Amino acid sequence: ILNVEQSPQSLHVQEGDSTNFTCSFPSSNFYALHWYRWETAKSPEALFVMTLNGDEKKKGRISATLNTKEGYSYLYIKGSQPEDSATYLCAPSVGTNAGKSTFGDGTTLTVKP
Amino acid sequence: NAGVTQTPKFQVLKTGQSMTLQCAQDMNHNSMYWYRQDPGMGLRLIYYSASEGTTDKGEVPNGYNVSRLNKREFSLRLESAAPSQTSVYFCASSTRTGATEAFFGQGTRLTVV
């Protein structure tokens, strides 16, 4: 079982603020890292799959970076909107047994109008 | 396109009863997963199936069994339900274990009394 830490646990921001979260994981035997967005009463939806050190992904106002050598990934949201309110989960997988992705406990973002 | 379909959506069991949660995907995915989600915690992997005919334990397999019936279907069985198994259960699938995004079903809310 991987030790996956996400910080902060929760975040409250005003509409228009930019924000970022952190996902930390063991750097050895890295295989891939997933970011998911999970709205209340819905199912998790994939945002990004990242596999290479230095990888950067972007989808609209949301972007992510990956540092596999030091074992962390950042998720950025530019100009937060109320519809961005959700829990953001990261899930790294390591080693040859890549099916055993471990989810962090998530960062819950609340964007106030 | 239905994606990942789970049944039932809600279930109440008495301690000691058994039941099977059904999951089917229509995306021709090779890999399928069962997770549980408890309050304040992220998703924890119960079992997964990297491909048809194979299954493997995740983080929290005790008290559960799985069957990969064919490429489309992956069921989760509770042989003797316990209150500690009260949780929300999610089934997911992906094209390749660990390296591609997973698609989640809508979840099954199970209460064991």
Side-chain angles (χ1 to χ4, degrees):
Chain A
I1 299 175
L2 298 178
N3 182 22
V4 182
E5 295 186 0
Q6 290 191 246
S7 62
Q9 186 175 13
S10 64
L11 198 54
H12 293 75
V13 301
Q14 291 294 134
E15 183 175 354
D17 288 349
S18 294
T19 187
N20 64 85
F21 327 131
T22 304
C23 173
S24 300
F25 52 88
S27 58
S28 59
N29 297 321
F30 175 83
Y31 186 76
L33 182 115
H34 302 245
W35 280 101
Y36 290 89
R37 181 172 180 272
W38 194 359
E39 291 183 71
T40 302
K42 294 187 177 181
S43 303
E45 292 183 348
L47 285 172
F48 307 115
V49 179
M50 310 177 80
T51 56
L52 300 175
N53 184 45
D55 211 0
E56 294 186 16
K57 300 281 187 179
K58 186 175 182 180
K59 184 182 291 187
R61 294 177 291 98
I62 304 176
S63 61
T65 60
L66 177 66
N67 184 322
T68 61
K69 294 182 179 180
E70 296 184 30
Y72 65 84
S73 177
Y74 293 141
L75 187 78
Y76 301 91
I77 301 179
K78 184 178 180 181
S80 301
Q81 299 297 308
E83 57 265 30
D84 295 328
S85 297
T87 296
Y88 292 83
L89 301 170
C90 73
S93 56
V94 299
T96 58
N97 205 343
K100 291 190 175 183
S101 295
T102 300
F103 279 81
D105 289 343
T107 293
T108 299
L109 173 68
T110 303
V111 183
K112 300 176 183 178
Chain B
N1 196 346
V4 179
T5 303
Q6 291 180 233
T7 56
K9 293 184 179 179
F10 302 94
Q11 184 72 48
V12 178
L13 289 179
K14 294 182 179 179
T15 298
Q17 286 185 318
S18 62
M19 78 162 295
T20 299
L21 281 63
Q22 307 287 352
C23 176
Q25 51 91 9
D26 61 3
M27 296 174 283
N28 200 35
H29 285 168
N30 293 316
S31 304
M32 298 185 73
Y33 317 84
W34 276 106
Y35 295 92
R36 60 179 287 174
Q37 195 263 329
D38 300 300
M41 302 182 71
L43 295 164
R44 291 185 292 169
L45 183 64
I46 304 171
Y47 271 93
Y48 72 101
S49 171
S51 60
E52 185 179 356
T54 68
T55 61
D56 203 354
K57 295 178 180 179
E59 300 173 59
V60 288
N62 292 342
Y64 305 95
N65 286 302
V66 290
S67 295
R68 184 74 184 266
L69 304 171
N70 47 55
K71 192 171 186 179
R72 291 186 63 249
E73 298 172 288
F74 188 39
S75 63
L76 178 72
R77 182 161 178 84
L78 287 70
E79 290 291 351
S80 179
S84 60
Q85 295 178 304
T86 294
S87 188
V88 181
Y89 291 85
F90 287 94
C91 176
S93 69
S94 67
T95 55
R96 189 158 64 95
T97 309
T100 53
E101 63 182 321
F103 293 82
F104 285 79
Q106 72 272 41
T108 297
R109 185 173 293 276
L110 175 67
T111 302
V112 183
V113 297

